[in-house]
């Protein structure tokens, strides 16, 4: 029986060095391709204005008005989009005091970039104050507004492990401010 052509050739037996060389070559091609873009390429969503201030504000650059004692403030959720129709991107941040156990109350804040691109983002609206003793289970952008599922307690007798108040809310930009409305019970339990 005659051996198959190429069976004894060294280049037909893949070795680790062959795989490494192939991976390196592919990485170089991908990296080079990421630098080649049309001159007018931008990362905007449909309907988003090209004002130069479309980058979403970063919650890590903001000092939240929360009293946490020696603990830090944790941003546990965030969503970004143009909330007021001005062509710039705002960020909704859910923040709470750091805790090893339990779920401390949340604050929900809307962040915007000032016109100075070097300035840090600022809080332009507070949607939920930590003093309301609510926690945010879910937050999303939907229908041009912000929807959230809030959890809380009806009385001080309810164990803090088990919130008994579940409320779906929505904030919509109207008349120069965020207006809150409650979602119907059927909608407030839906998951985004």
């Amino acid at each position: 029986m005659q051996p198959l052509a190429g069976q004894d050739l060294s280049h037909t037996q893949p070795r680790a060095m062959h795989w490494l060389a192939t991976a390196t070559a592919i990485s170089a091609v991908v990296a080079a391709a990421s630098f080649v873009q049309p001159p007018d390429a931008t990362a905007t969503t449909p309907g988003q204005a090209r004002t130069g201030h479309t980058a979403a504000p970063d919650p890590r650059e903001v000092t939240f008005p929360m009293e946490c004692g020696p603990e830090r403030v944790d941003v546990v959720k965030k969503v970004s989009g143009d909330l007021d129709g001005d062509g710039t991107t705002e960020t909704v941040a859910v923040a709470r005091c750091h805790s090893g156990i339990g779920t401390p109350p949340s604050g929900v804040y809307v962040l915007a970039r000032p016109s100075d691109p070097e300035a840090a983002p600022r809080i332009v609206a507070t949607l939920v104050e930590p003093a309301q003793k609510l926690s945010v289970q879910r937050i999303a952008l939907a229908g041009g507004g912000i929807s959230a599922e809030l959890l809380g307690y009806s009385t001080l007798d309810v164990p803090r492990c088990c919130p008994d108040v579940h409320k779906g809310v929505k904030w919509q930009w109207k008349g120069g401010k965020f207006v809150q409305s409650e979602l119907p019970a059927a909608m407030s339990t839906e998951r985004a």
Side-chain angles (χ1 to χ4, degrees), residues 120-145:
R122 59 189 174 87
I123 297 172
V124 295
T126 300
L127 304 178
V128 175
E129 293 274 358
Q132 292 175 271
K133 305 229 182 280
L134 296 169
S135 52
V136 178
Q137 183 171 16
R138 179 189 63 79
I139 193 158
L141 300 183

Side-chain angles (χ1 to χ4, degrees), residues 57-134:
D58 187 350
R60 294 175 295 186
E61 299 176 24
V62 175
T63 301
F64 292 97
M66 301 177 73
E67 294 296 324
C68 293
E71 298 298 331
R72 70 179 184 266
V73 174
D74 290 335
V75 175
V76 294
K77 294 176 177 30
K78 68 178 182 173
V79 293
S80 297
D82 183 1
L83 304 174
D84 56 4
D86 67 352
T88 61
T89 304
E90 292 83 25
T91 296
V92 179
V94 178
R96 66 180 187 206
C97 296
H98 178 75
S99 174
I101 59 171
T103 305
S106 302
V108 179
Y109 305 95
V110 178
L111 314 176
R113 285 210 176 278
S115 56
D116 177 6
E118 300 299 317
R122 59 189 174 87
I123 297 172
V124 295
T126 300
L127 304 178
V128 175
E129 293 274 358
Q132 292 175 271
K133 305 229 182 280
L134 296 169

Side-chain angles (χ1 to χ4, degrees), residues 16-29:
M17 184 54 86
H18 292 116
W19 290 111
L20 182 59
T22 302
T24 303
I26 291 172
S27 297
V29 169

